[in-house]
Every structure is written in C-alpha cells, then in structure tokens.
Amino acid sequence: MGKKNDNTLVKNASFLMIAALISKIIGLIYKSPLSSTMGKESFGCFQFAQNVYFILLMIASFSIPQAVSKIMAERLAFKRYRDAQRIFKGALLYAVIVGGAVAVICIVGAPILVPDGMANARLALQFLAPTIFVSGILGVFRGYFQAYRNMLPTSISQILEQIAVVALVMANFMVHHFADAQPDVLRSWSAAGATLGTGAGVLTALIFMLFVYQVNRKTIQRKIARDKVSVDESYKDVMKIIVMIVAPIILSAFLYNVNGYINSMIYTSVSELKGLKGSIVEGFYAECGFFLTIINIPLTLSSTAPTSMMPEVSGAYARGDLKTAKEKIDKATWLSMFISIPCSVGLFALAGPITALLFPSTDGTAGFLMMLGVITVIMNGMSNISNGVLQGIGKANIPMINAAIALVVDVVVVTVLMFVTDFGIYNVVLAMIAYALVMCILNDRALKRELHYKNPWKTAYMPAVFAAVPMGIVAFAVYQGIYLLTKSLPGGNLLALMPAIVLGAGVYFLLYLYFAKPKEEELAGLPGGRKLIQKTSYYVRKKNCYI
C-alpha cells in the first residue's frame, strides 16, 4: 500500500509538472512573437503589468488551491465528505468577496501600484482586473479536485489557460490602430491589448472546471449521502477556518513572491533618479522579462511537487503518521530535484543561444541574466518543498516569518546595489539570489526543528548533480561544435541547439540511472515510467535497482 501511495504522489506531481511544462511552453512560444509584434519597450510595460498583476493575484487567489486542498484533505482523510463540501462552498464565497475587492483595487490603485517611470503599464494592469476576480473562483475548483487527489482537471485547466491567440491578435490590432499615435500611447495600448489573452485563458479554464465538476457531481453527492461521520460544521465556523488557514498561507505566498515586484519598483525608481530615459528602462526590463519568461518554466515545475504533496502530507500528519509524512516529503524532494538541477545546468550552459532563439530582439543581456540567475531554480525548488510541508502540518506562520526576513534582506541588497553600483538590471537578479538563499536556510532549519527532518542530500540531490554537470558540458560542447558549421546558414542557431539538447538530455538520464540507481517503482510512478523501464531493460537489474 505504501508503494502504491508513493506512486500516486509521484504521478499526481508528474501530471501537474507535465501540464505546467506544456502551459509554460505555450506561454513562452507566444511571448516570442508577442515581443516582436509589440516592440521591446511595449513588452517591458506588459511584463511590468503582469508582475503587479501576479502580486494582486497572490492576495486574491494564488494560494487558494493549496489552502482548499489542505483543509478538505484533512476531512476527507476521515471520510467526512459533507464537511469537505461545506469547506468548498465557503471557499467559493471567500473567493468572490476577496477577488472582487482586489479587482477594484487593481482598477483604482493602478497609478499608485505602477511608478511614473513605468506609467505606460497602468492601463494594462487595469485591463487585468476582471481576470483577478475569475482566478479566485478557478482556484477553489482546482483545490477541490486536488483534495480528492485528482490532479488531471487542474493539469488540463492549466494548459487551457494559455490561450495565446487572443493576446497576439489584440496586441497586433492595438499596434496598427495606434500606429500614428504618440509612442507612450502606442506602448500603453499595445501592452493592454496583450493582457486580454490572460483573461480569455482564465475564463476558458474556469468553464472547463465547471464542466468537470458537473460530470463528477453525482458521484460526489453519493459519497456525501453515505457520510455518517461528518460533524456538520456551521458555515460560520467554516468561514473562520478558511480565513484562519487561507490568510497566513496567502500572506506567506505574498511575502514569498512580492520581492519581484518590489525589486522592479526599486529598479525603475532609482534608474529614473539616475537620469535614465524611460525607453531605456523599459528596454532593460524587457530583457529581464525575457529571462523570467524562460526561467519560469523550471521554477513552475519545481513548485508542482509541493502542491500535489500538500494533501498527502496533511492527511498523514493529521493521522499522526510522521513516518509516512517524511516519506512523502522525500518523494517530493526527489522529484523536484530530478527536474530542477538539470534544468538549471542546461540553461546555464545554453543561456545565450536559447534566449537568442526565443527572443530575437534581445541584445544579449537576457542570456547573461539567465547565467547569473539559474541557481534560484534549485534554491526555490528546495524552499517550495519546505514551504509546502510547513503549511501542510499547520505551521504556516513559520514560512511567513521566514519570507518576511528574506524580503528584508532582498530589499537591502537591491537598494544598496542600485545606489552604489552601475550593475543596473543585474541587481534585480542578485537580489533574487539573496532572497532564495535566505529562504532555503531558514525553512530547512524549521523542518529540522518541527519534524526532525533531514534533507535527503545523498538520494535526491547528489545523483542529479553528478549527472547534470557532464550533461551541461556535453550540451555546450555539442552546440559550439555544430554552430561553427551552421552559423552561416538560416536557422543555424536552432540547428545547433536541437542536437545539443537531445544529447545532453540523454547523457543526463543515463548518468542518473548509474548514480542514483532508482528502484523500478520510482520510475514506474512517473507518467510513461513503465515504458522507460522497458526501454532501459538492457541495464543489469540487481536488488530491484538499475545499475
């Protein structure tokens, strides 16, 4: 049973990872032509508006799936289906109230939330207000199915959320419609048009989740009808529980992610004080946007493991089964590092070629930003796991306090560097690294104190490192060798990148099998894992391990 549950955890996390990968790739693909259509300065405004929107989304809905899945999972663990359904309905009411309030703030507060140095992003932020409201309701449905350990609806909805065509069409329309207008007007409306794609995607995802809920409604109602153990919590008590659980989680998530917004505010404000032209600031912020768009793919993948882990850990901890809870944490850590470490090394080795391929308008800055910032993928993967665990065992205040401490360090670092150095946009990435490092250290200490848990360095981290470093060397060498022959050809960069990535991935997988010696049930837990076992059956099997 334990092995079956472990495989369920890995499969659930893997479904979310695959969906997150697909959705982020779609977002990456459409942002490449979007940046070309809008121009780099307009894209910088669009990216800034998205940054502010992301923070407001934190308050309105971002952590609702985790919170709802945690609260419901604790009741479902004891087959209290009726109480779980009350939590779901109370969460919907919470999402409507809070999402509506934040949407109003988005419209009215845009002049305050966006500095004068990036004023062209204000209209785009206001266009995102309805999306914030809808996202809260969508988050409740995602958390609902995650509590039932069904990650497929969430996974599909994440993919549907990436409707790129609307953003491209509207951005193109705005560019042509305001072609003869002043540059500031053109940039403002181009960025606003691009944000409509975000709203269309969220609305489509919500419609899909409503359909899935309707399909499963009869099954759920039968479980509720047979429920004889629920205590029939009053909706007043339900709302108190939701607020008490959701508030610290949202505050923690807000503190955990607000550093990006604060860094951008400090960067634009200090740059303006130093006399940089608005177009130059927008251009450099666009380069940072290119870097963040690419790096968000592995960052998102590393965050899906704790999302799927939350119900598992919460249920085990609620039953007093600490051994099982620790095993779930180990499994999530293994999965996160299996993805995060090779992604970091690969992006470092091929930073320049990848950014040049995806964003032809880059002047090379995005590539250097990526080489500097890829370490945050690994550190964020580590802290996301510990953050999810601490929230899952009812210690949400701990990561919240740790995030506040890390935020203070981040603000001090970026402020000092902006005034005493000429590193410019690189200071934003340096502050990101400082924040992630502090968060890792503090959360790790908290896990040791609360659960006597030790990070599985030998099983989760070291094999991935030993396999990823040669992978990076091979990928870099293959790219450089082939590019010498193809650089004069059309698409020469892509022709060199493709074999470099494929060979690098092959090297990583084979070396990982050699160093980690994963058990069959670990590989089988991954989507397509059994096919991988069959294809690698030429490896000698001893003690149920690949060697």
Side-chain angles (χ1 to χ4, degrees), residues 70-339:
K70 168 187 159 45
I71 303 170
M72 287 185 60
E74 291 173 349
R75 284 145 184 81
L76 293 175
F78 298 98
K79 301 187 184 302
R80 293 167 53 190
Y81 299 107
R82 192 162 55 251
D83 288 341
Q85 193 71 7
R86 285 174 175 261
I87 295 296
F88 168 64
K89 292 179 180 179
L92 282 175
L93 178 60
Y94 173 90
V96 169
I97 295 172
V98 176
V102 175
V104 172
I105 293 173
C106 182
I107 296 172
V108 178
I112 300 173
L113 295 169
V114 179
D116 292 338
M118 198 66 73
N120 294 330
R122 289 170 179 166
L123 183 62
L125 177 61
Q126 292 171 329
F127 269 46
L128 286 165
T131 307
I132 292 175
F133 177 75
V134 176
S135 294
I137 301 172
L138 174 61
V140 173
F141 279 95
R142 285 175 171 170
Y144 181 84
F145 286 104
Q146 287 172 20
Y148 278 97
R149 300 180 184 180
N150 183 3
M151 304 299 169
L152 191 57
T154 294
S155 302
I156 296 175
S157 71
Q158 286 178 336
I159 297 173
L160 292 175
E161 197 173 342
Q162 297 294 328
I163 295 183
V165 64
V166 176
L168 291 171
V169 170
M170 292 307 301
N172 187 65
F173 171 78
M174 296 298 184
V175 168
H176 286 85
H177 185 74
F178 293 97
D180 298 327
Q182 294 294 322
D184 287 344
V185 175
L186 173 62
R187 292 167 189 168
S188 180
W189 280 96
S190 298
T195 62
L196 294 177
T198 305
V202 172
L203 181 60
T204 302
L206 176 60
I207 293 172
F208 170 77
M209 294 299 282
L210 288 170
F211 170 76
V212 174
Y213 179 78
Q214 189 64 33
V215 170
N216 289 272
R217 189 173 182 179
K218 290 184 179 180
T219 302
I220 296 169
Q221 289 298 328
R222 283 197 296 267
K223 291 182 178 181
I224 295 173
R226 292 195 296 265
D227 177 11
K228 296 182 179 180
V229 295
S230 285
V231 298
D232 292 326
E233 298 166 291
S234 68
Y235 280 106
K236 181 179 179 181
D237 291 336
V238 166
M239 290 301 294
K240 285 182 179 179
I241 293 170
I242 292 174
V243 171
M244 290 179 64
I245 298 296
V246 171
I249 291 179
I250 288 179
L251 182 57
S252 175
F254 174 79
L255 291 171
Y256 197 78
N257 292 276
V258 73
N259 63 310
Y261 168 64
I262 293 177
N263 290 343
S264 62
M265 287 284 288
I266 294 173
Y267 165 71
T268 53
S269 299
V270 176
S271 296
E272 188 178 9
L273 287 175
K274 288 186 173 182
L276 267 70
K277 293 182 179 179
S279 59
I280 295 177
V281 175
E282 292 169 353
F284 276 122
Y285 197 79
E287 292 287 337
C288 187
F290 298 158
F291 151 68
L292 291 174
T293 299
I294 298 172
I295 206 173
N296 270 339
I297 294 179
L299 283 175
T300 300
L301 293 178
S302 67
S303 69
T304 53
T307 298
S308 61
M309 172 189 65
M310 181 78 80
E312 303 274 355
V313 174
S314 296
Y317 187 80
R319 296 189 302 269
D321 189 356
L322 295 182
K323 181 181 178 181
T324 299
K326 290 180 181 180
E327 289 175 353
K328 302 300 182 186
I329 300 170
D330 284 345
K331 187 70 66 173
T333 303
W334 165 74
L335 187 59
S336 181
M337 292 302 108
F338 179 77
I339 300 294

Side-chain angles (χ1 to χ4, degrees), residues 341-347 349 465-477 500-501 503-509 511:
I341 292 175
C343 284
S344 299
V345 175
L347 288 175
V465 172
F466 291 152
V469 172
M471 174 208 74
I473 295 173
V474 169
F476 179 79
I501 293 173
L503 289 175
V507 168
Y508 173 74
F509 182 70
L511 288 179

Side-chain angles (χ1 to χ4, degrees), residues 284 287-288 290-291 294-295 347-348 350-356 362-375 423 425-426 429-430 433:
F284 276 122
E287 292 287 337
C288 187
F290 298 158
F291 151 68
I294 298 172
I295 206 173
L347 288 175
F348 179 86
L350 301 173
I354 289 175
T355 53
T362 181
D363 58 11
T365 302
F368 290 114
L369 290 172
M370 185 181 297
M371 293 178 69
L372 179 63
V374 288
I375 188 64
F423 295 161
I425 196 65
Y426 291 95
V429 180
L430 291 172
I433 295 173

